[in-house]
């Protein structure tokens, strides 16, 4: 795994991790939903989420850390402190809370995820574009479904929906030139996934 890099205010990141020894971490629909519930609790106040994909033994996220003003701690009485929220620690809280609940239900002990989650800074427009597609196509790439559009635990359908979401839906759709172009890009690039994969999947 790559050397860990800090998650800095204002920057974009590809965040990912998997179960220990590729162990399954999501078994049921309730597991997926509970993970997203915890994500909203621990991360949504501090990061913008552009895309995600949860798979049985790993997950991917495309996020942007919010600006410093949004990262400042608030005391119990509502006073804003100078100390900044540690985003890496927030991810640790998420994974630890999920592991605790998963272990209790499945009568297991010990860590569920790899010790350190991966993160890679997204530094180019091309990488951002490829990453959105890569996340959504991942279930088909791994043979979980025959068509990535069948997978319910990614941001693909939420980005196309009109339902309320914490995703930056309008920003993503505008990035691809609108909803129709967003759909076309995903459908037409399936044949080229083998060229995108080496650029993005060396970490998993």
């Amino acid at each position: 795994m790559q050397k860990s890099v800090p998650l800095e205010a204002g920057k974009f990141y590809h965040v990912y991790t998997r179960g220990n020894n590729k162990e399954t971490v999501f078994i049921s629909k309730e597991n997926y939903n509970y993970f997203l519930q915890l994500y909203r609790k621990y991360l949504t106040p501090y990061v913008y989420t552009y895309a995600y994909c949860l798979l049985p033994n790993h997950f991917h996220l495309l996020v942007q850390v919010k600006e410093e003003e949004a990262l400042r701690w608030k005391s119990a009485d509502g006073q804003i402190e100078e100390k900044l929220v540690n985003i890496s620690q927030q991810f640790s809280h998420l994974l630890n809370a999920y592991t605790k609940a998963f272990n209790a239900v499945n009568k297991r002990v010990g860590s569920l995820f790899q010790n350190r989650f991966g993160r890679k800074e997204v530094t180019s427009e091309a990488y951002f574009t490829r990453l959105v597609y890569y996340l959504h196509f991942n279930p088909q790439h791994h043979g979980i479904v025959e068509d990535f559009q069948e997978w319910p635990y990614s941001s693909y359908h939420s980005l196309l929906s009109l339902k309320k979401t914490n995703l930056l839906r309008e920003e993503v759709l505008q990035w691809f030139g609108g909803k129709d172009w967003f759909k076309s890009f995903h459908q037409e690039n399936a044949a080229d996934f083998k060229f995108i994969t080496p650029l993005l999947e060396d970490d998993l």
Side-chain angles (χ1 to χ4, degrees):
M1 182 177 289
Q2 279 196 330
K3 182 179 179 181
S4 177
V5 296
L7 299 173
E8 300 178 17
K11 293 186 177 182
F12 293 79
Y13 295 95
H14 175 198
V15 176
Y16 50 89
T17 195
R18 64 183 177 192
N20 277 334
N21 300 314
K22 299 184 179 181
E23 180 180 352
T24 298
V25 296
F26 302 114
I27 297 175
S28 65
K29 176 182 178 180
E30 289 72 23
N31 290 158
Y32 289 101
N33 290 339
Y34 185 60
F35 182 89
L36 292 175
Q37 178 183 330
L38 291 175
Y39 182 84
R40 286 190 290 270
K41 174 182 178 181
Y42 289 109
L43 274 306
T44 296
Y46 310 113
V47 303
Y48 298 113
T49 306
Y50 292 85
Y52 72 86
C53 188
L54 311 182
L55 297 110
N57 69 355
H58 68 284
F59 68 79
H60 296 272
L61 303 161
L62 170 53
V63 303
Q64 179 189 17
V65 180
K66 293 183 179 181
E67 298 299 333
E68 285 193 6
E69 189 63 31
L71 304 182
R72 299 193 184 281
W73 282 106
K74 291 184 179 179
S75 62
D77 59 2
Q79 297 297 311
I80 298 177
E81 302 177 6
E82 289 301 311
K83 180 182 177 182
L84 298 182
V85 172
N86 184 319
I87 303 301
S88 293
Q89 192 62 49
Q90 291 302 115
F91 272 106
S92 294
H93 290 328
L94 162 66
L95 299 180
N96 290 336
Y98 180 81
T99 296
K100 182 177 180 180
F102 185 91
N103 284 354
V105 171
N106 295 284
K107 296 180 172 55
R108 70 180 298 277
V109 295
S111 59
L112 179 63
F113 295 95
Q114 289 182 330
N115 289 334
R116 186 178 63 186
F117 67 89
R119 76 292 301 271
K120 183 182 293 185
E121 186 179 353
V122 179
T123 57
S124 72
E125 295 182 354
Y127 189 87
F128 183 97
T129 302
R130 290 170 175 170
L131 186 56
V132 172
Y133 170 72
Y134 170 78
L135 267 59
H136 294 152
F137 194 80
N138 221 241
Q140 183 174 333
H141 170 62
H142 287 289
I144 301 171
V145 291
E146 293 185 1
D147 183 342
F148 73 92
Q149 297 173 92
E150 299 172 359
W151 188 245
Y153 307 115
S154 81
S155 53
Y156 180 76
H157 291 293
S158 294
L159 289 168
L160 293 174
S161 172
L162 296 177
K163 295 180 180 179
K164 183 178 179 180
T165 180
N166 288 313
L167 296 168
L168 266 68
R169 174 190 289 147
E170 293 304 317
E171 288 80 355
V172 174
L173 294 180
Q174 289 176 15
W175 180 265
F176 284 88
K179 183 180 294 187
D180 290 340
W181 282 103
F182 173 82
K183 293 172 65 176
S184 296
F185 183 90
H186 282 71
Q187 294 165 357
E188 294 174 2
N189 280 277
D192 296 325
F193 188 75
K194 63 182 179 180
F195 297 108
I196 296 175
T197 299
L199 300 176
L200 300 172
E201 204 185 37
D202 56 328
D203 309 290
L204 287 175

